[in-house]
Amino acid sequence: MPSVPSQAKQAGPDSGQADRFSNAFNPAFSFIVDAALDYVDLDSGSDEDGFDLSLRILEVASQAWVDPSAWAYFVGAAEEEGLNIEEAAVHYVGLGSQTTLRAGRFFIDFGKQMQTHVHELRTLERPLALRAYLGDEVKGDGVQYDQWAAVGDKSALRWSLGVFANLLPEEAAYPVADVALEIDERKDLGDLNFTGRVTAFRDVSENGTLQLGASARIIPEYTVLDEVNDLSEAELGNEVFGVDLTYGWIDDTGQRRWTLGVEALANSGDIELSVLDPDGTPANGDESLNVKDETVFGFYGFLDYAWSKYRSAGVQYSRATLSDAAETELSEIELYTTRWLSEYHRLRLVGVWSNDDTADEDSYRVALQYTAIIGSHGHGINW
Amino acid sequence: MIQALLFIASAAGIGTAPGASAVAFVLPSEERVRVLATIPDLAGFVREIGGERVDVDSISRGKEDLHSVTARPSSLVAMSRADMFVEVGLSLEIAFVPGLLHSCRNARVQPGSPGFVSVAQGWTVSKAPAVLSRQAGDVHPQGNPHINLDPRAGLHMATQVYEGLVRVDPGSKALYDARFEGLVLRLKQAQTRWSAMAEDWKGRKVATYHSEYDYLIEAYGLESVGTLESKPGIPPTPKHLSELVANMKSGGCDAILSAQWSNNDTLARVSEAAGVQAVVLPNQCAGMKGADDWVGMMDLIHDRLEQAFAKSAATK
C-alpha cells in the first residue's frame, strides 16, 4: 500500500491548498491594452489641435473565488506614477437568494454605462451627459447590496443600494468654475454618498429584449474650495438621477443585432458655482463665492447595428446643459465602426463632432482605436 | 411591490451560493422536473426520456453559433428555477453558461450538484490541444466540443441525461427506464441506418467553415481539405481563403459544409471561386425543417451529405 505523506494526512484530500508554494489555486489574470491615434480640430484655434498617439489604458486584472461564498477581483490601471487601483472588491454571495454584498472599491451602479470601463464601451468615450454630470468614471470605496428576483417567466427585476465614502469625480470633465470640490474624510452617517438603481429586463419577443432602469447618485454634503481667493462654501449637496431604456434585437442565427438605448439625466442641487470678483483682480479680498440651487438636464441615445459578430457600426448623440451661470448647452455626435479582428482584439474608427451651442463653437475628432484583451476576461450579466 | 417580488424569489426555492456542497433535493411526486438545456438537442433527449414528467426548455433556438449565444432574461429566470441543467460541456457554451450559472444562484444546478449534467463527461474527445495558446485561435482546452454533431455520440449523450434525471428524481426511475430503453433502441436503429448510408463515404473530401463537423468527418473517414476560418474562431482572411481555394481546385473537394450562422457571403464567394457546392447543415436541432430531434437532425445531415456526394460524383 503506498504511503501517504504526513502533511496530506493532516490536511485531508479535500482541505484545499496544503503547500504555500503550490500554484494550483492561482487566480485568473488578464490585461488589456487600449491605444488610440487621433486628430483633434478645435474651433477656437487652440494649440491643442493636431495628431496624438497615446496608450490610453493598460489595465491589469485578476479574479478568483475566496471560498464557496465569496469571490474577489482587482483591476489596476498602469499610469506614469504607478499602478492606480481602479477596482478591488469582494463579492459575498453567501446570504442566500439572489443577493450580492459587494465591498471595496468599485464603479458605481448607475445606468448601463457607468459600471463598465472605458475600453468596454461601444464608443470611444462615455456619453457627454454622463461625463458632464457624473464624471469620466466614478468609482468609490464603499459597500453595495443588490438582489434580483424573477417576475413571471420572462422578466427579472434587480435593485441595488450602495453607500460610499466619496463619489465626487477625481477630475471634473466640465468644470463650471475654477474651484475644487471636496468631501470630508470623516463624516456623519447621513453625509455618506449613496447610489441606488432599480432595473427590469424582459423578453418582449423571440428575438427582442427590453430593459428599463432608474438610477440615483446622491452626495449629501460637499465643500467648494477656491484656493486662489481663499474662499470656501460648505454643506452643499448634489444629486444626479437617470432613467434608461435599452432595446436589443438579435436575429435567429445570433449574428445580426440592433441595439437602441437612451438615458435621460437630471443634475440637481447646489451646482451652479461661480466666483464673483467685482474688480477683476484676484485675491484682493473683494471676491465671493456664489452658489445657487439649480437643476439641469441632459440625455444620450444610441443606435448600434452589428451585421456579424465581428463587424458593427453605430451613432450616439448626447446633449447636456452645464450648471454654469450661462447654462452652456453642449452636444456631441459620435459615429463609429468596429471591426473585431478576432474575439480578442479590435479596431474602431470613430468620428466625433462636438458643439457648444452657447459659444457657437464646433470641434472635431477622428480616432483609430485599438484594443487587445489578453488572458481570462469575462463579464456576468450587464444589469 | 419589492416585498411581493422577494417572496416570489423565496418561494421559487432559490438555493445558496454557487460552489456550495451538493444538496439532496427531494422532488414532490406531483411536481414536474424543471429542466433547462443549453441546446435543443439535449432538451429533446430530456423530453424523450422524461415524457410528461419533465418541463424542459432550451437556451439556444436552433440556428445560432453555439460559441456566441446571447442568453435572454427568461433564460436566467429558468436557470434560477431549474431542478436540472444540461450542457454539452468542453467549454462549448462558455459564452453564456458561466454568467448564467453565476447569477442564477441556484445550488441545485451548480457543477458538482446532482442537477448539473455535462453530457461530454466521459466522452473521448478529438483534437485536445497539446499546447494551450491563443496562437492556435479560439481553441478549447479540453478538445473539440461539438460532440452533438457526432453520429456516434447519441447514446452517450442520452445516457448522461438519463442518469441525471434519475439522480434528481429517483422516484420516477421506472418511468425513465422504460422510456430510455425505447430511445436506446431508436438510436441503435438510426446508427445502423447511417452507417449503411455512409459505407462508401471514406475518402470523400470536404471543407468546413468552422470545425463544427470534425467528429462527423472522423466518424466516416472523410478527408478534411481545410476550414474557411484560418484558425478556430478566427475570421477568414483573404490570404487564407485564396490558399484554400487553390487547394480545393488542385486537390479536389466534394462539398463545403456550413451551418446556418456561417451561411454568408464569404461562403458563397469561396464556393463560386472553387467551383465546389456549399452544403448547409444543421449544427443543432430545431433550426431546420426535419431536425426536430437529434435523430431527425442526424437523418437530415446524412441525407444532405448523400445528395451532395452523389451530385459531386455526377459532375466528375
Side-chain angles (χ1 to χ4, degrees):
Chain A
M1 190 173 174
S3 65
V4 180
S6 59
Q7 191 183 21
K9 271 182 190 164
Q10 283 171 8
D14 301 321
S15 61
Q17 187 169 336
D19 178 352
R20 69 192 173 114
F21 299 112
S22 161
N23 67 357
F25 289 86
N26 276 343
F29 282 95
S30 68
F31 67 95
I32 287 165
V33 177
D34 186 74
L37 165 69
D38 70 341
Y39 174 79
V40 172
D41 178 11
L42 300 173
D43 198 31
S44 55
S46 153
D47 57 5
E48 289 176 15
D49 282 2
F51 286 97
D52 187 24
L53 183 58
S54 65
L55 174 65
R56 301 197 326 152
I57 296 157
L58 174 57
E59 186 182 283
V60 184
S62 179
Q63 56 184 314
W65 282 92
V66 177
D67 71 6
S69 59
W71 64 278
Y73 72 103
F74 95 88
V75 179
E79 296 177 352
E80 299 297 336
E81 303 80 32
L83 191 70
N84 177 29
I85 303 300
E86 296 264 293
E87 296 191 80
V90 174
H91 287 224
Y92 183 73
V93 293
L95 295 174
S97 193
Q98 285 109 338
T99 59
T100 303
L101 191 62
R102 190 182 202 189
R105 177 178 299 175
F106 50 94
F107 281 23
I108 62 168
D109 187 18
F110 190 105
K112 289 282 284 180
Q113 299 207 28
M114 290 309 291
Q115 305 97 323
T116 54
H117 294 247
V118 167
H119 65 84
E120 294 165 324
L121 298 169
R122 60 169 57 79
T123 49
L124 191 63
E125 309 287 355
R126 247 176 266 279
L128 179 148
L130 289 174
R131 302 202 308 270
Y133 295 166
L134 292 166
D136 282 342
E137 55 183 42
V138 184
K139 55 184 181 278
D141 294 355
V143 180
Q144 179 182 291
Y145 177 86
D146 68 67
Q147 180 166 25
W148 77 268
V151 185
D153 292 335
K154 294 186 174 177
S155 304
L157 178 96
R158 177 189 181 262
W159 62 276
S160 72
L161 185 64
V163 182
F164 298 86
N166 183 343
L167 292 180
L168 284 173
E170 285 170 18
E171 207 171 300
Y174 296 93
V176 293
D178 192 15
V179 294
L181 312 181
E182 272 190 11
I183 289 178
D184 292 340
E185 210 163 275
R186 299 276 163 193
K187 51 187 93 57
D188 294 337
L189 197 62
D191 292 334
L192 289 166
N193 295 191
F194 301 93
T195 62
R197 175 161 171 80
V198 181
T199 182
F201 65 177
R202 152 177 199 88
D203 296 14
V204 287
S205 68
E206 279 290 306
N207 302 82
T209 304
L210 182 69
Q211 180 173 8
L212 295 168
S215 315
R217 187 228 58 189
I218 296 165
I219 299 176
E221 185 173 313
Y222 72 99
T223 301
V224 175
L225 293 170
D226 174 7
E227 288 179 356
V228 176
N229 299 302
D230 196 22
L231 300 170
S232 70
E233 185 83 33
E235 297 188 3
L236 307 175
N238 171 222
E239 304 87 39
V240 178
F241 301 99
V243 288
D244 57 277
L245 177 151
T246 309
Y247 174 75
W249 180 91
I250 305 175
D251 81 341
D252 289 342
T253 66
Q255 300 293 300
R256 287 188 304 123
R257 296 157 187 256
W258 285 99
T259 311
L260 170 72
V262 291
E263 183 169 17
L265 298 151
N267 184 16
S268 177
D270 306 308
I271 54 173
E272 187 186 313
L273 313 172
S274 55
V275 180
L276 302 179
D277 186 356
D279 64 2
T281 309
N284 65 354
D286 66 340
E287 303 83 10
S288 61
L289 264 174
N290 185 31
V291 182
K292 282 188 185 170
D293 191 341
E294 180 75 88
T295 301
V296 291
F297 298 94
F299 75 95
Y300 69 87
F302 66 85
L303 182 64
D304 182 275
Y305 176 63
W307 57 97
S308 80
K309 66 179 179 179
Y310 298 113
R311 292 167 186 268
S312 63
V315 59
Q316 179 166 277
Y317 177 73
S318 185
R319 190 173 186 87
T321 305
L322 298 187
S323 57
D324 57 359
E327 295 200 345
T328 302
E329 289 277 347
L330 299 177
S331 62
E332 192 171 273
I333 295 177
E334 182 166 345
L335 290 162
Y336 61 89
T337 180
T338 305
R339 171 79 160 102
W340 284 90
L341 304 168
S342 73
E343 195 180 329
Y344 311 103
H345 59 156
R346 70 162 187 235
L347 273 173
R348 177 177 289 147
L349 181 64
V350 182
V352 185
W353 170 61
S354 306
N355 174 252
D356 180 338
D357 273 1
T358 310
D360 195 21
E361 285 184 351
D362 295 322
S363 64
Y364 304 91
R365 183 181 185 190
V366 178
L368 185 64
Q369 179 191 15
Y370 173 76
T371 310
I373 301 157
I374 300 111
S376 159
H377 189 82
H379 295 278
I381 292 167
N382 179 8
W383 295 97
Chain B
M1 181 66 178
I2 295 290
Q3 284 298 321
L5 292 167
L6 298 185
F7 172 75
I8 291 167
S10 307
I14 306 308
T16 52
S21 303
V23 183
F25 293 95
V26 180
L27 275 171
S29 58
E30 68 277 10
E31 274 188 28
R32 300 215 291 181
V33 184
R34 292 162 298 192
V35 183
L36 183 66
T38 52
I39 62 175
D41 313 36
L42 304 178
F45 284 130
V46 173
R47 205 171 287 116
E48 281 203 61
I49 300 166
E52 292 296 310
R53 179 76 185 128
V54 297
D55 189 356
V56 59
D57 199 3
S58 157
I59 297 171
S60 75
R61 292 296 186 217
K63 294 182 179 176
E64 305 97 322
D65 171 9
L66 291 175
H67 299 299
S68 57
V69 172
T70 301
R72 295 176 300 278
S74 56
S75 311
L76 178 62
V77 172
M79 189 79 125
S80 73
R81 294 172 174 167
D83 301 304
M84 184 169 128
F85 169 70
V86 192
E87 64 162 22
V88 173
L90 302 174
S91 308
L92 176 67
E93 302 102 330
I94 199 165
F96 58 104
V97 165
L100 284 175
L101 277 174
H102 181 78
S103 299
C104 77
R105 306 293 171 77
N106 178 353
R108 293 188 297 270
V109 297
Q110 298 300 322
S113 302
F116 178 84
V117 178
S118 178
V119 298
Q121 192 179 356
W123 184 250
T124 305
V125 294
S126 168
K127 295 188 177 172
V131 178
L132 283 180
S133 166
R134 288 290 172 223
Q135 202 173 19
D138 188 10
V139 289
H140 294 259
Q142 306 98 320
N144 189 313
H146 296 282
I147 71 166
N148 67 311
L149 296 169
D150 188 334
R152 304 162 297 186
L155 186 57
H156 178 83
M157 293 190 288
T159 304
Q160 296 293 319
V161 169
Y162 159 77
E163 288 174 356
L165 281 170
V166 171
R167 271 200 309 272
V168 299
D169 184 24
S172 303
K173 185 173 183 299
L175 169 81
Y176 300 143
D177 282 348
R179 294 185 66 95
F180 180 57
E181 205 175 305
L183 175 61
V184 169
L185 185 65
R186 190 167 163 245
L187 286 168
K188 285 182 175 169
Q189 286 169 345
Q191 198 151 356
T192 307
R193 185 166 69 244
W194 300 330
S195 297
M197 284 175 85
E199 237 171 16
D200 61 348
W201 289 1
K202 192 172 181 185
R204 292 285 194 174
K205 292 181 176 176
V206 294
T208 55
Y209 191 96
H210 173 65
S211 312
E212 276 160 311
Y213 302 102
D214 284 9
Y215 285 106
L216 184 73
I217 289 169
E218 188 185 287
Y220 298 130
L222 307 178
E223 192 180 318
S224 175
V225 176
T227 58
L228 271 65
E229 291 178 339
S230 54
K231 293 275 171 70
I234 306 297
T237 60
K239 180 174 179 282
H240 172 72
L241 291 179
S242 69
E243 286 170 2
L244 181 66
V245 168
N247 282 348
M248 285 196 279
K249 277 182 169 171
S250 61
C253 183
D254 294 294
I256 307 170
L257 311 182
S258 146
Q260 288 174 99
W261 67 266
S262 53
N263 182 16
N264 54 28
D265 293 344
T266 306
L267 176 72
R269 281 201 305 275
V270 170
S271 171
E272 192 182 341
V276 176
Q277 62 185 322
V279 181
V280 179
L281 301 175
N283 68 336
Q284 54 182 308
C285 296
M288 282 186 178
K289 197 177 172 187
D292 302 327
D293 63 10
W294 190 78
V295 171
M297 176 183 77
M298 276 295 159
D299 276 335
L300 185 63
I301 287 175
H302 285 76
D303 286 345
R304 291 201 171 183
L305 282 180
E306 189 172 54
Q307 287 165 19
F309 292 149
K311 189 177 168 186
S312 173
T315 56
K316 280 178 182 168

